[in-house]
């Protein structure tokens, strides 16, 4: 198994799941997709099974036997080893201590915001801000429900962090929209000599 399989971001998620309880890969995949929209879009069955195989080869997880449910085929149940627990703690400690410059699709798009022109930029940013507000409201409701149902805050702390990021992004977008409309953020003169005026 290529060593780079252990560099996959889902390694941390799998180790974290197995810290909670032993599980088989199909169950892990279902749980990860349920907990995170990002994981739901990014994790494939093949990627997860390759990651589990790499973790087992590294000695970070170990088989606890087979499990059968109904007429389904037997599935191998894995548990976290002490080496896996140590690696989980090491990675968590390192990633929490060290801020990384994470390149998102939005960051890449913002770098070329000028190509939309002032009015196009305002339209696109306005729609993004509205969608962020809708999603934030939904996520706030889910977090409130989880806490009301007795979930310890520590168990949903990542949802709290995600909400903080979404609110900060919305605030920044609103400020950029305002700067475009007031002319505080200007566009360079086009090669033709024509320059689109800021949206009123």
């Amino acid at each position: 198994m290529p060593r780079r399989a252990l560099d996959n971001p889902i390694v941390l998620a799998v180790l974290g799941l197995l810290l909670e309880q032993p599980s088989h890969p199909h169950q892990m995949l279902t749980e990860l997709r349920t907990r995170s929209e990002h994981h739901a879009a990014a994790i494939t069955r093949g990627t997860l099974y390759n990651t589990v195989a790499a973790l087992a080869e590294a000695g970070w997880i170990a088989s606890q036997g087979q499990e059968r449910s109904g007429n389904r085929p037997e599935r191998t149940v894995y548990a976290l080893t002490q080496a896996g627990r140590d690696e989980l703690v090491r990675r968590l400690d390192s990633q929490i201590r060290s801020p990384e410059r994470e390149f998102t699709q939005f960051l890449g798009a913002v770098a070329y915001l000028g190509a939309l022109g002032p009015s196009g930029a305002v339209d696109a940013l306005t729609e993004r801000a509205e969608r962020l507000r809708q999603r934030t409201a939904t996520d706030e409701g889910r977090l409130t429900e989880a806490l009301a149902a007795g979930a310890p805050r520590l168990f949903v702390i990542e949802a709290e962090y995600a909400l903080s990021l979404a609110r900060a992004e919305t605030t920044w977008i609103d400020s950029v929209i305002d700067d475009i409309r007031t002319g505080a953020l200007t566009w360079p003169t086009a090669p033709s000599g024509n320059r689109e005026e800021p949206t009123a």
Side-chain angles (χ1 to χ4, degrees):
M1 183 64 58
R3 178 74 186 179
R4 65 177 177 271
L6 297 177
D7 296 328
N8 192 307
I10 70 168
V11 165
L12 193 68
V14 171
L15 293 176
L17 282 180
L18 294 179
L19 178 66
E20 298 175 15
Q21 64 179 9
S23 181
H24 56 72
H26 179 75
Q27 185 178 0
M28 294 178 208
L29 182 62
T30 300
E31 188 64 26
L32 288 173
R33 287 177 170 173
T34 299
R35 294 187 184 190
S36 167
E37 292 181 3
H38 171 73
H39 286 144
I43 298 179
T44 65
R45 184 175 181 275
T47 298
L48 179 66
Y49 276 76
N50 286 340
T51 299
V52 168
L55 292 173
E57 186 176 319
W60 297 348
I61 64 175
S63 169
Q64 280 200 329
Q66 303 288 317
E67 178 183 280
R68 181 186 294 275
S69 177
N71 295 325
R72 294 175 180 172
E74 288 188 339
R75 290 173 171 150
T76 302
V77 176
Y78 292 92
L80 197 63
T81 64
Q82 184 58 51
R85 181 184 291 266
D86 292 344
E87 179 62 20
L88 173 62
V89 169
R90 185 193 70 78
R91 289 190 181 211
L92 285 172
D93 185 76
S94 173
Q95 291 184 23
I96 289 174
R97 288 176 186 273
S98 306
E100 297 290 337
R101 294 187 184 277
E102 298 176 359
F103 190 86
T104 64
Q105 287 186 334
F106 181 57
L107 180 59
V110 165
Y112 297 98
L113 184 66
L116 296 178
S119 61
V122 166
D123 287 346
L125 289 171
T126 299
E127 182 171 339
R128 182 180 183 89
E130 180 57 31
R131 290 184 178 186
L132 275 172
R133 287 189 177 90
Q134 292 173 0
R135 190 181 73 187
T136 298
T138 299
D139 291 346
E140 285 173 341
R142 290 175 178 170
L143 179 58
T144 299
E145 289 175 2
L147 293 171
R153 182 184 172 197
L154 186 61
F155 290 5
V156 290
I157 199 74
E158 75 281 5
E160 186 178 304
Y161 172 69
L163 279 169
S164 294
L165 291 181
R167 294 186 192 111
E169 181 180 320
T170 303
T171 298
W172 180 82
I173 289 174
D174 287 342
S175 71
V176 172
I177 291 171
D178 186 59
D179 285 346
I180 295 172
R181 286 175 168 160
T182 62
L185 177 58
T186 61
W187 258 244
T189 303
S192 62
N194 297 322
R195 181 173 178 269
E196 185 176 351
E197 292 301 319
T199 304

